[in-house]
């Protein structure tokens, strides 16, 4: 539920970006700077969330961040300039980054307990939430102002957190601390070897490459469809909804794919499909071809992030998961402002081609990671 809520709220924000861009009078580059507030807030929080989870438990931190994320999503629609928008997005980014690290830490504990590669299923919930949030945003885009829409999302977020939070808090002892963290396990070193650290960083870069594409499509996909291909507000919002649906389908089948084809094939094939799909989505001359490309990109990107984080965790335990997750989400949050600068310098369609380049890079690095880990 918290993965789904995270995706739902984030999608609700991103589908209103074109309207908020118009409301604030921002250019592509100043909007990119404002979006950097999300990145800055999230990256700083991600570096602190691991410590908070160790001290208070990942479940408690997840619930607190759920409340903060629900409250902060109403703020962007109240701003009248790119500067003030960037400032409130610092808070939104802090809540978003903290929630992602905390809920992934909780999910890793459950994956360890289940002894199956089910991490894609948790991320499928995020994608389904994103699909629902983007679909709802498309339906109300013509009838509700961004302010009314995002304020309603605050209410939904607080209600879901109030219902599900106590369940999560009451069950925290069932999955924490995991065996490898207990004081009676001296055979598990706290520090990674230099070789392990290099490989974890490699998986983190793979996660970054794919998360860059997810963030770019989330925050610039709707604007590309409306600005470059003349799609109406509802159809532009449907672009991210379709992307999220494709990701959800890919992630729901992720455990089966991993068990049948292995992690390396799943990772490399996903990178190739995502690269081809995003090339079509960025350069297609019609809305429908662009939507097809978005769907292919979502299907390809679906399992790369969960696989990369899972591989890092298998190699180096919770510290590997934390490092790869932080790099990965950094890519998701830094991608949108980079796209904004490139859009002003060249054009938005060409800027979106960088997603293709990084998806292809993830495929190449995935093959390299196979050799590095002898798998």
């Amino acid at each position: 539920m918290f993965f789904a809520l995270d995706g739902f709220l984030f999608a609700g924000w991103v589908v209103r970006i074109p309207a908020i861009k118009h409301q604030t009078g921002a250019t592509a580059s100043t909007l990119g700077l404002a979006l950097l507030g999300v990145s800055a807030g999230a990256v700083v929080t991600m570096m602190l969330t691991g410590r908070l989870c160790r001290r208070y438990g990942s479940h408690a931190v997840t619930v607190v961040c759920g409340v903060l994320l629900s409250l902060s999503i109403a703020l962007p629609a109240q701003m009248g300039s790119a500067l003030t928008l960037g400032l409130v997005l610092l808070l939104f980014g802090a809540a978003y980054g903290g929630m992602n690290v905390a809920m992934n830490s909780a999910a890793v504990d459950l994956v360890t307990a289940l002894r199956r590669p089910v991490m894609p299923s948790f991320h499928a919930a995020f994608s389904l939430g994103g699909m629902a949030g983007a679909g709802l945003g498309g339906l109300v885009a013509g009838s509700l102002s961004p302010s009314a829409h995002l304020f309603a999302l605050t209410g939904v977020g607080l209600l879901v957190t109030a219902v599900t939070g106590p369940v999560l808090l009451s069950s925290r002892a069932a999955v924490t601390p995991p065996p490898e963290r207990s004081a009676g396990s001296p055979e598990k070193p706290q520090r990674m070897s230099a070789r392990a650290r290099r490989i974890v960083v490699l998986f983190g870069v793979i996660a970054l490459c794919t998360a860059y594409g997810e963030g770019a499509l989330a925050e610039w996909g709707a604007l590309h469809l409306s600005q470059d291909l003349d799609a109406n507000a509802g159809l532009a919002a449907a672009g991210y909804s379709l992307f999220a649906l494709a990701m959800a389908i890919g992630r729901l089948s992720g455990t089966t794919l991993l068990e049948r084809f292995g992690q390396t094939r799943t990772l490399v094939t996903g990178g190739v499909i995502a690269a081809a799909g995003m090339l079509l989505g960025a350069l297609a001359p019609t809305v429908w071809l662009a939507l097809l490309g978005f769907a292919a990109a979502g299907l390809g990107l679906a399992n790369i992030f969960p696989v990369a984080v899972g591989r890092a965790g298998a190699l180096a335990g919770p510290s590997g998961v934390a490092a790869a997750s932080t790099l990965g989400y950094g890519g998701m949050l830094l991608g949108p402002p980079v796209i904004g600068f490139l859009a002003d310098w060249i054009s938005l369609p060409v800027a979106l081609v960088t997603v293709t380049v990084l998806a292809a890079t993830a495929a190449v690095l995935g093959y390299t990671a196979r050799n590095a880990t002898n798998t």
Side-chain angles (χ1 to χ4, degrees), residues 174-275:
V175 295
T176 57
E180 62 267 25
R181 294 179 189 168
S182 65
S185 302
E187 72 278 3
K188 293 287 184 181
Q190 292 295 318
R191 292 186 177 182
M192 290 183 279
S193 68
R195 177 179 179 275
R197 188 177 297 110
R198 287 194 299 270
I199 298 174
V200 166
V201 169
L202 176 62
F203 288 133
V205 173
I206 292 171
L208 184 153
C209 287
T210 182
Y212 174 96
E214 189 171 350
L217 272 172
E219 300 198 1
W220 290 102
L223 191 62
H224 169 57
L225 293 174
S226 61
Q227 172 183 289
D228 301 315
L229 298 175
D230 297 321
N232 60 45
L235 190 57
Y240 182 71
S241 183
L242 183 62
F243 173 76
L245 174 61
M247 289 198 81
I249 292 171
R251 287 171 170 174
L252 287 171
S253 60
T255 299
T256 300
L257 291 174
L258 289 169
E259 291 177 335
R260 178 171 298 181
F261 300 110
Q263 293 175 330
T264 298
R265 288 183 181 178
T266 301
L267 198 158
V268 173
T269 303
V272 171
I273 293 173

Side-chain angles (χ1 to χ4, degrees), residues 33-97:
L33 279 173
L35 294 176
L36 193 59
V38 181
S39 307
V43 169
V44 171
T45 306
M46 285 174 177
M47 294 188 293
L48 300 175
T49 302
R51 296 177 185 177
L52 293 174
C53 289
R54 285 192 294 272
R55 182 168 183 177
Y56 301 107
S58 59
H59 289 191
V61 177
T62 298
V63 173
V64 171
C65 289
V67 173
L68 293 176
L69 185 65
S70 300
L71 292 173
S72 63
I73 196 173
L75 299 178
Q78 309 303 318
M79 300 301 111
S81 71
L83 175 60
T84 54
L85 176 63
L87 292 175
V88 299
L89 287 179
L90 282 169
L91 177 60
F92 179 75
Y96 180 75

